[in-house]
Amino acid sequence: MGNSALKSHLETSQKTGVFQLTSKGLQEFPEELQRLTSNLRTVDLTANKIEVLPPAVGNFLHLKSLTLNGNRLASLPSEIGKLKKLETLSLNGNRIQQLPPTLGQLRALRTLNLSGNQISEFPPGLGTLRHLDLLDLSRNQIRNVPAAVSELQTIEINLNQNQISVLSADVSLCPRLKVLRLEENCLELSSIPQSILGDSQVSLFSVEGNLFEVKDLRDLQGYDKYMERFTATKKKFA
């Protein structure tokens, strides 16, 4: 991409606070963006070939949305935790295996998209994200949803298309969790904690494509309570 084209993008971004450069074959996070650390609110570099997010990303203190879907990132720098105003972090379709502990410092974060990466363990330390509404971990390699999940404040967790065979009953303790998606995993009927049906806030529990028929959920204790919540939510949005 020519310097003149990048220059015009930078000039526009200075006025709008938005830098969007998608599908341009970029191999590096544009160094020139450092000139706009006090301006930028939104950065979208979807569908490039970026392999490394530099530590300098921590300088964008006013950033509210960072999108790097469809790149080649294998990790994130710990400096990402400095983005105290960040509300949306979207990293779908990369090569990320684990998250830095500093991610738990993104206290304003509402949406965390990590679909289609190489994450094999449920990320720890996200319980500090008090405003998180959506955690998307679909299309990864997660096998186990641990007890620590109970610390999460999120409204929706998407775990579709993983390899999950173990689901902790403590997921029912998530105070704000309304939507739990577990389609196309390795769950057996006996792996479904009855507390999710009977005692949780979950009003949409999506488990198609596991090692049992969805209709068999009806045989579990607490199913009637779950259906009451499901029906009440459906009516609310009808």
Side-chain angles (χ1 to χ4, degrees):
M1 183 177 176
N3 280 343
S4 58
L6 183 57
K7 192 179 174 190
S8 71
H9 272 280
L10 289 169
E11 285 170 2
T12 304
S13 301
Q14 194 144 16
K15 295 170 191 160
T16 63
V18 176
F19 185 83
Q20 187 173 30
L21 204 56
T22 62
S23 305
K24 296 295 183 189
L26 292 181
Q27 297 188 345
E28 294 180 348
F29 191 88
E31 200 176 317
E32 295 84 351
L33 287 184
Q34 288 297 322
R35 296 181 220 152
L36 303 177
T37 51
S38 59
N39 291 65
L40 286 183
R41 305 288 185 274
T42 300
V43 171
D44 184 354
L45 293 165
T46 293
N48 282 290
K49 298 176 181 177
I50 298 167
E51 294 185 14
V52 176
L53 193 58
V57 74
N59 297 335
F60 294 88
L61 299 179
H62 300 284
L63 207 59
K64 288 193 168 185
S65 177
L66 177 58
T67 303
L68 285 151
N69 297 335
N71 277 277
R72 298 176 180 177
L73 297 173
S75 62
L76 300 175
S78 61
E79 287 80 3
I80 200 159
K82 294 178 180 176
L83 305 180
K84 304 298 184 193
K85 295 187 177 179
L86 197 67
E87 295 177 5
T88 300
L89 179 57
S90 202
L91 300 162
N92 297 336
N94 279 279
R95 301 169 181 176
I96 295 165
Q97 296 181 16
Q98 55 188 24
L99 306 174
T102 51
L103 205 70
Q105 296 170 13
L106 301 177
R107 301 296 163 84
L109 203 62
R110 292 186 175 277
T111 301
L112 179 54
N113 289 324
L114 291 159
S115 179
N117 277 281
Q118 296 172 15
I119 298 168
S120 57
E121 291 187 7
F122 198 96
L126 301 181
T128 52
L129 305 177
R130 298 291 177 189
H131 300 289
L132 195 63
D133 292 332
L134 171 63
L135 174 59
D136 187 352
L137 289 162
S138 59
R139 295 188 301 112
N140 277 283
Q141 298 155 22
I142 298 168
R143 294 183 171 84
N144 175 13
V145 181
V149 74
S150 63
E151 298 167 4
L152 290 178
Q153 301 290 320
T154 187
I155 294 170
E156 176 174 345
I157 302 176
N158 187 343
L159 289 161
N160 289 347
Q161 293 180 299
N162 276 276
Q163 299 163 20
I164 296 165
S165 60
V166 178
L167 178 60
S168 171
D170 287 2
V171 74
S172 63
L173 301 175
C174 291
R176 297 171 71 222
L177 188 62
K178 297 283 195 294
V179 178
L180 180 57
R181 302 185 188 276
L182 283 158
E183 294 175 22
E184 295 180 49
N185 276 281
C186 306
L187 291 164
E188 298 187 22
L189 189 64
S190 58
S191 313
I192 304 295
Q194 294 179 4
S195 58
I196 293 177
L197 298 172
D199 304 324
S200 75
Q201 302 287 319
V202 174
S203 55
L204 178 59
F205 185 44
S206 192
V207 288
E208 288 81 2
N210 279 278
L211 306 179
F212 61 90
E213 296 289 329
V214 175
K215 61 182 173 56
D216 293 341
L217 278 180
R218 298 174 199 161
D219 300 332
L220 295 182
Q221 198 175 338
Y223 182 78
D224 292 344
K225 280 189 176 180
Y226 162 67
M227 282 310 294
E228 284 172 18
R229 297 192 303 272
F230 175 79
T231 307
T233 303
K234 211 171 174 183
K235 279 180 183 168
K236 200 194 299 185
F237 294 104

